[in-house]
Amino acid sequence: MSDQKIITLFKNGHRDKAFRELYKLYPRIEKVIVSKGGTKADASDVFQEALIVLHRNLEKSDFTLTASFYTYLHSVSRFIWKDQQRQFSKQELHDLKTDEVSIFHIVLEEKKYQLAEQAFRELGERCQQLLQWFYLKKMSFKDIAESMQFKSDKIAKNQKYKCLKKAKGIYNTHSKTVQS
C-alpha cells in the first residue's frame, strides 16, 4: 500500500488499518536496532515509540511527511535507540541533514511529553482531578471549589498553583535523571 493511502486511512479515522500497514515495516526496523546492539524486545519498544511519534505528528495540521514512512520510522527509531544508549557524539549531531534535525527535535519533544505524562501520573489523585477539571473540562475556579469542597474559588486557584508547582518539580527531577 502506498504511503499516501496510509495517510488517507489515518485522516479518515481508519487508524487500525493504517497501523497494520505500518507494522509491515517492523522487520526492517528490527533488523536495524539488532544490528546496533539491541535485542528484538528493544526493537519492539523502539518501534512502538516511533509509531507514537508518527501518530502525534500526523494529528498536527501542519505536519507533512517529506519522506517515505520507512525512511521516517527508520530515522525516528535510530534516534530513539541512540538516545536510549546515550551514544550521540557532538560530531554526529553536527553532521545531521536538515530532515534529520527536524526528526531529532521531534524525538526530543516526544521525550518531553513522556516526562510530563509521568509527572502527571505521579501527582496525587486530587491534583490530577483539579488540573483535569480546569484544563480539560474548562471548569471555573468557583465550580472546582464547590466540587472539591474548598471554601472559596481563591483556595481552588491556589491549589491549582501548588499542583502545577509539584508537577513541575517532578518533571524537573525526572528530566535531570534522564540527562545523567
Side-chain angles (χ1 to χ4, degrees):
M1 182 176 286
S2 75
D3 289 348
Q4 193 54 48
K5 286 183 181 177
I6 294 172
I7 290 172
T8 302
L9 287 172
F10 270 110
K11 291 187 184 219
N12 292 334
H14 301 290
R15 288 190 290 266
D16 290 344
K17 287 181 183 178
F19 278 119
R20 267 186 255 137
E21 289 300 315
L22 292 172
Y23 268 97
K24 292 177 182 177
L25 300 173
Y26 172 71
R28 293 167 65 191
I29 302 297
E30 179 185 75
K31 194 181 233 183
V32 170
I33 300 303
V34 170
S35 75
K36 304 261 185 219
T39 65
K40 289 184 178 205
D42 293 331
S44 178
D45 292 344
V46 166
F47 189 71
Q48 291 295 322
E49 283 190 52
L51 287 176
I52 290 168
V53 169
L54 173 65
H55 184 259
R56 286 192 186 185
N57 282 312
L58 285 171
E59 288 182 335
K60 294 178 182 175
S61 61
D62 63 341
F63 177 74
T64 305
L65 187 67
T66 58
S68 70
F69 276 115
Y70 171 73
T71 301
Y72 183 85
L73 290 171
H74 176 272
S75 294
V76 171
S77 296
R78 196 178 88 226
F79 285 123
I80 290 169
W81 178 246
K82 281 194 168 230
D83 184 52
Q84 287 178 358
Q85 304 306 303
R86 308 266 187 273
Q87 293 179 344
F88 283 109
S89 70
K90 287 183 181 178
Q91 185 61 41
E92 283 179 305
L93 292 174
H94 181 71
D95 292 342
L96 292 177
K97 297 176 190 134
T98 305
D99 59 333
E100 290 178 322
V101 170
S102 67
I103 291 172
F104 180 69
H105 286 293
I106 289 167
V107 170
L108 291 178
E109 194 67 27
E110 178 62 25
K111 188 69 80 185
K112 289 178 187 175
Y113 280 127
Q114 290 172 352
L115 289 171
E117 288 171 351
Q118 185 177 357
F120 182 78
R121 284 192 305 271
E122 289 182 29
L123 286 175
E125 193 174 312
R126 285 185 55 87
C127 272
Q128 288 178 2
Q129 189 174 46
L130 189 152
L131 293 173
Q132 286 175 335
W133 283 350
F134 183 77
Y135 289 108
L136 298 178
K137 293 188 176 182
K138 308 278 189 227
M139 288 175 66
S140 69
F141 285 119
K142 182 181 179 198
D143 292 338
I144 292 171
E146 282 179 28
S147 297
M148 299 190 90
Q149 299 176 345
F150 295 134
K151 291 183 180 182
S152 72
D153 59 334
K154 286 184 170 84
I155 293 173
K157 188 175 183 177
N158 192 29
Q159 275 304 121
K160 181 195 130 234
Y161 171 77
K162 287 179 181 179
C163 290
L164 286 176
K165 189 174 178 179
K166 182 178 179 182
K168 188 175 181 179
I170 294 168
Y171 177 90
N172 288 336
T173 300
H174 288 309
S175 101
K176 287 176 187 171
T177 305
V178 168
Q179 292 173 358
S180 311

